[in-house]
Coordinates of all heavy atoms in Angstrom, one line a residue:
H1 N 65.3 79.9 119.1 CA 66.1 80.3 118.1 C 67.5 80.6 118.6 O 68.5 80.5 117.8 CB 65.4 81.6 117.4 CG 64.2 81.4 116.8 ND1 62.9 81.6 117.4 CD2 64.0 81.1 115.6 CE1 62.0 81.3 116.6 NE2 62.5 81.0 115.4
A2 N 67.7 80.9 119.8 CA 69.1 81.3 120.2 C 69.9 80.0 120.5 O 71.2 80.1 120.7 CB 68.9 82.0 121.7
L3 N 69.3 78.8 120.5 CA 70.1 77.7 120.6 C 71.0 77.4 119.2 O 71.9 76.6 119.2 CB 69.2 76.4 120.7 CG 68.3 76.5 121.9 CD1 67.5 75.0 122.1 CD2 68.9 76.9 123.2
F4 N 70.5 78.2 118.1 CA 71.3 78.0 117.0 C 71.9 79.3 116.6 O 71.6 80.3 117.2 CB 70.2 77.4 115.9 CG 69.7 76.1 116.3 CD1 68.3 76.1 117.0 CD2 70.2 74.9 115.9 CE1 67.8 74.9 117.3 CE2 69.7 73.8 116.2 CZ 68.5 73.7 116.9
A5 N 72.6 79.4 115.5 CA 73.3 80.7 115.1 C 72.3 81.6 114.5 O 72.3 81.8 113.2 CB 74.5 80.3 114.2
E6 N 71.5 82.3 115.2 CA 70.6 83.3 114.8 C 70.5 84.5 115.6 O 71.2 84.5 116.6 CB 69.1 82.6 114.7 CG 69.1 81.4 113.9 CD 67.6 81.0 113.8 OE1 67.1 80.2 114.6 OE2 67.0 81.3 112.7
G7 N 69.8 85.5 115.2 CA 69.7 86.7 115.9 C 70.1 88.0 115.1 O 70.3 87.9 113.9
R8 N 69.7 89.2 115.8 CA 69.9 90.3 115.1 C 71.5 90.4 114.7 O 72.4 90.1 115.4 CB 69.6 91.5 116.0 CG 68.1 91.7 116.1 CD 67.8 93.1 116.7 NE 66.4 93.3 116.9 CZ 65.7 93.3 117.8 NH1 66.3 92.7 118.9 NH2 64.4 93.5 117.8
G9 N 71.8 91.1 113.6 CA 73.1 91.1 113.1 C 73.5 90.0 112.2 O 74.6 90.0 111.7
R10 N 72.7 89.1 112.3 CA 72.9 87.8 111.4 C 72.0 87.8 110.3 O 70.7 87.8 110.7 CB 73.1 86.5 112.1 CG 74.0 86.4 113.2 CD 73.8 85.2 114.0 NE 74.9 85.1 115.1 CZ 76.0 84.5 115.1 NH1 76.4 84.1 113.8 NH2 76.9 84.4 116.0
P11 N 72.3 87.6 109.0 CA 71.4 87.5 107.9 C 70.5 86.3 108.1 O 71.1 85.2 108.3 CB 72.1 87.5 106.6 CG 73.6 87.1 107.1 CD 73.7 87.5 108.5
R12 N 69.3 86.5 107.9 CA 68.2 85.2 107.9 C 67.9 85.0 106.6 O 67.4 85.7 105.8 CB 67.1 85.6 109.0 CG 67.5 85.7 110.4 CD 66.2 85.6 111.2 NE 66.0 84.4 111.8 CZ 64.8 83.6 111.8 NH1 63.9 84.2 111.0 NH2 64.7 82.5 112.2
D13 N 67.7 83.6 106.3 CA 67.2 83.3 105.1 C 65.7 83.5 105.1 O 65.1 83.4 106.1 CB 67.4 81.7 104.9 CG 67.2 81.2 103.5 OD1 65.9 80.9 103.3 OD2 67.9 81.1 102.6
P14 N 65.1 83.8 103.9 CA 63.5 84.0 103.9 C 62.8 82.8 104.5 O 61.7 82.9 104.9 CB 63.3 84.3 102.4 CG 64.6 84.8 101.8 CD 65.7 84.1 102.6
S15 N 63.4 81.6 104.4 CA 62.9 80.4 104.8 C 63.2 79.9 106.2 O 62.9 78.9 106.6 CB 63.0 79.3 103.9 OG 62.3 79.5 102.6
A16 N 63.9 80.9 107.0 CA 64.3 80.5 108.3 C 63.1 80.4 109.2 O 62.1 81.2 109.0 CB 65.3 81.6 108.9
W17 N 63.1 79.5 110.2 CA 61.8 79.3 111.0 C 61.3 80.4 111.8 O 62.3 81.2 112.4 CB 62.1 77.9 111.9 CG 63.3 78.1 112.8 CD1 64.5 78.8 112.8 CD2 63.4 77.3 114.2 NE1 65.3 78.6 114.0 CE2 64.6 77.8 114.7 CE3 62.6 76.4 114.7 CZ2 65.0 77.1 115.9 CZ3 63.0 75.8 115.9 CH2 64.2 76.3 116.5
G18 N 60.1 80.5 111.9 CA 59.5 81.4 112.8 C 59.2 80.8 114.1 O 59.5 79.7 114.5
S19 N 58.4 81.5 114.8 CA 58.0 81.1 116.3 C 57.1 79.8 116.3 O 57.2 79.1 117.2 CB 57.5 82.2 117.2 OG 58.5 83.2 117.4
I20 N 56.2 79.9 115.4 CA 55.3 78.6 115.5 C 56.1 77.4 115.1 O 55.7 76.5 115.7 CB 54.1 78.8 114.4 CG1 53.2 79.9 114.8 CG2 53.4 77.6 114.0 CD1 52.1 80.2 113.8
A21 N 57.0 77.5 114.3 CA 57.8 76.4 113.9 C 58.7 75.9 115.2 O 58.9 74.7 115.6 CB 58.8 76.6 112.8
A22 N 59.1 77.0 115.9 CA 59.9 76.7 117.1 C 58.9 76.0 118.2 O 59.4 75.0 118.8 CB 60.4 78.1 117.7
W23 N 57.7 76.5 118.4 CA 56.8 75.9 119.4 C 56.5 74.4 118.9 O 56.5 73.6 119.7 CB 55.6 76.6 119.4 CG 55.7 78.0 119.8 CD1 56.7 78.5 120.8 CD2 55.0 79.3 119.5 NE1 56.6 79.9 120.9 CE2 55.6 80.4 120.1 CE3 53.9 79.5 118.6 CZ2 55.0 81.6 120.0 CZ3 53.6 80.7 118.4 CH2 54.0 81.8 119.2
A24 N 56.4 74.2 117.7 CA 56.2 72.8 117.1 C 57.4 72.0 117.4 O 57.3 70.7 117.8 CB 55.9 72.8 115.6
W25 N 58.5 72.4 117.3 CA 59.9 71.8 117.7 C 59.9 71.4 119.1 O 60.2 70.3 119.4 CB 61.0 72.6 117.1 CG 62.3 72.2 117.4 CD1 63.0 71.2 116.8 CD2 63.1 72.5 118.6 NE1 64.3 71.0 117.4 CE2 64.3 71.8 118.7 CE3 62.9 73.4 119.9 CZ2 65.3 72.0 119.5 CZ3 63.9 73.5 120.7 CH2 65.1 72.8 120.6
G26 N 59.4 72.4 119.9 CA 59.4 72.2 121.4 C 58.5 71.0 121.7 O 58.7 70.2 122.6
L27 N 57.3 71.0 121.0 CA 56.3 69.8 121.2 C 56.9 68.4 121.0 O 56.8 67.5 121.7 CB 55.1 69.9 120.4 CG 54.2 71.1 121.0 CD1 53.1 71.4 119.8 CD2 53.4 70.6 122.1
S28 N 57.7 68.4 119.9 CA 58.5 67.2 119.7 C 59.5 66.8 120.6 O 59.8 65.7 120.9 CB 59.1 67.2 118.2 OG 58.1 67.0 117.3

């Protein structure tokens, strides 16, 4: 998530990716 413009203090869309999506992205 830190590779992109995310984190505390930044508003997240309700559809922003969670950790399972991040792990799946890493598999790819």
Side-chain angles (χ1 to χ4, degrees):
H1 294 95
L3 305 187
F4 302 88
E6 298 188 276
R8 286 195 176 100
R10 297 178 182 271
R12 294 191 98 230
D13 188 276
S15 293
W17 61 331
S19 288
I20 288 177
W23 301 326
W25 174 85
L27 282 166
S28 286

